[in-house]
Amino acid sequence: MADQGRRVALVLGTSAGGVGRHVAMLAGGLVRGGHRVVVAGPPSTERAFGFAALGARFAPVPISDRPRPIEDLRAIRALRALRGAHAVHAHGLRAGALAAIALAGTGTGLVVTLHNAATAGGAVGAVYGLLERIVARRADRILVVSPDLGERMTRLGAGRVEAAVVPAPSLPPSGREPGDVRRELGTGDRMIFLTVARLAQQKGLETLLDVVKALREARGDAGPVPGGVSAEPADGRGPEERAPEAVFLVAGEGPLRGELQGRIDRENLPVRLLGDRADVGDLLGVARALVVPSRWEGQPLTVQEALRAGTAVIATAVGGIPAMVGEAGLLVPYGDIAAMRDAVARVLADDGLAGELAAAAARRGRGLPGEQEALAAVLAVYTGLS
C-alpha cells in the first residue's frame, strides 16, 4: 500500500454491529499495510471487536449513542489527543461531530463516514440536526452510505462528499446441509422468509408483522393455515393449487423483542424471533427471500450477504438499498403494506420468479466491493488530505 507508516485514528461510538465490524476491518487492513492505527471509542467496542488484537492501539473514549453532556465533554477532551494524526476517521454522526469539535483549529485532517440517517424527532432530533451542521461544515471529507445522505450534507454546506465503500465480511461456510438447518429450525416444508435485523425502531419490523397479517386477510374466507401462511394466487386458482405455506424468521435482538413477541402471540402469526444467530449464511441458504422492511438503510450488510449467497431480496426502496439491489429483488415504498404483501406473495407462489431473482442476486453479489476495495478507497481519501 502507498503512504505506509501513516498515523491513522479511527473513532466510533457505541456499536454492536455493522459499524464496529467495518472499523475492525479497516483497522486490521491498515495495520497489515504498515500504518500505525489507534482506535478511539467506548470500552464496550474493544470487548466486542478486539481492535487491540488486530494490532491497533485502543483508546477508551466515552462516545454514547445519545447526547450526554458530561460524557460528551469528556469525549471531546480525550479526542484532542488525536491531534497530529495524518487522518482522523470518525464513523457515525455523533463520533464525527465530537471529533470535529475536538480538532477544530488543529489542522488535523478529519474524515467522517455517515453510516445512518438521523431519524429521531423532537429535542433529540434538533440536537442531531446541530451535529449534522457541525460535521457538514468542519469535516474535510464526508463519506456517505447512500445518495440521500450525500444530498443532505451538500445542502448543509459540506465541501467534499463521496460515496463510502462498506463491504460485508465474507460468511464462512459451516458445512451444514440445508436439510440439517431446516430440521434444527423445525420449519418442515414451509417456505422460509428471513429477516436479519436488530429489533429496533429503524428496522420497521411492525410492518413485517402487518404484512404477515395481510397475507392471511387476503385469503378471505379461507382463513389462516396453522403454523404458516399460504398466498392466494392472483389468477384465482383453487385451494388445491395454492402456493406452499410460509414461515417468517427474524434473526436479531433488540429493545422491541417483548413488544414484537407479544403481538406475534396475540395474533398467532407464523413469525419466529430467533435471537442473535452466528449462522446467518446457513439461514440465507434455506431462505426463499430476505425481507427488509426498514424505514431507512445505508449499505446494509445483510443485503450484501444475501446477494453474495444468491438469495432473492424483498425490501423497502430506501437509502442505499435500490442502488445495491438493482434487478436482484422486489422493492416497495416504506410502509406500503399492500405492496410488500404482494411482493412476498409473488415470490412465495412463483418458482420461476424466485429463481430469476436468486440468479440475479448471485450476479449482483459477485460484483460487490470487498475489503481490498474498501481499504484502497479510504487510503485514497487519506492521501487527499495532505
Side-chain angles (χ1 to χ4, degrees), residues 348-369:
L348 175 63
D350 190 335
D351 290 339
L353 173 63
E356 290 171 7
L357 293 175
R363 290 193 299 271
R364 198 83 176 179
R366 288 192 291 270
L368 291 174

Side-chain angles (χ1 to χ4, degrees), residues 205-368:
L205 295 169
E206 73 286 350
T207 299
L208 177 67
L209 302 190
D210 290 339
V211 167
V212 177
K213 181 179 180 181
L215 282 168
R216 283 186 165 175
E217 291 175 347
R219 291 175 51 82
D221 60 6
V225 177
V229 168
S230 179
E232 180 76 34
D235 60 7
R237 288 176 291 173
E240 70 284 355
E241 301 176 273
R242 288 176 186 149
E245 295 177 34
V247 61
F248 294 78
L249 306 182
V250 181
E253 271 298 349
L256 296 183
R257 169 177 268 279
E259 179 180 329
L260 294 169
Q261 189 63 62
R263 181 176 171 192
I264 292 167
D265 293 342
R266 287 193 305 274
E267 300 181 14
N268 192 29
L269 299 175
V271 180
R272 289 174 51 195
L273 305 182
L274 302 179
D276 286 327
R277 301 281 297 213
D279 59 346
V280 171
D282 288 341
L283 298 179
L284 287 168
V286 298
R288 183 78 156 186
L290 178 77
V291 181
V292 184
S294 300
R295 288 174 165 80
W296 188 89
E297 293 285 356
Q299 295 179 25
L301 303 187
T302 56
V303 173
Q304 295 184 55
E305 291 165 347
L307 296 176
R308 286 178 174 158
T311 302
V313 176
I314 301 169
T316 49
V318 296
I321 288 180
M324 178 181 290
V325 172
E327 74 287 357
L330 302 180
L331 303 181
V332 303
Y334 166 71
D336 191 332
I337 296 166
M340 183 164 278
R341 175 204 64 197
D342 291 346
V344 171
R346 288 177 61 198
V347 174
L348 175 63
D350 190 335
D351 290 339
L353 173 63
E356 290 171 7
L357 293 175
R363 290 193 299 271
R364 198 83 176 179
R366 288 192 291 270
L368 291 174

Side-chain angles (χ1 to χ4, degrees), residues 26 52 68 81 106 116 200 310 343 374:
L26 292 180
R68 291 181 171 85
T106 67
N116 288 288

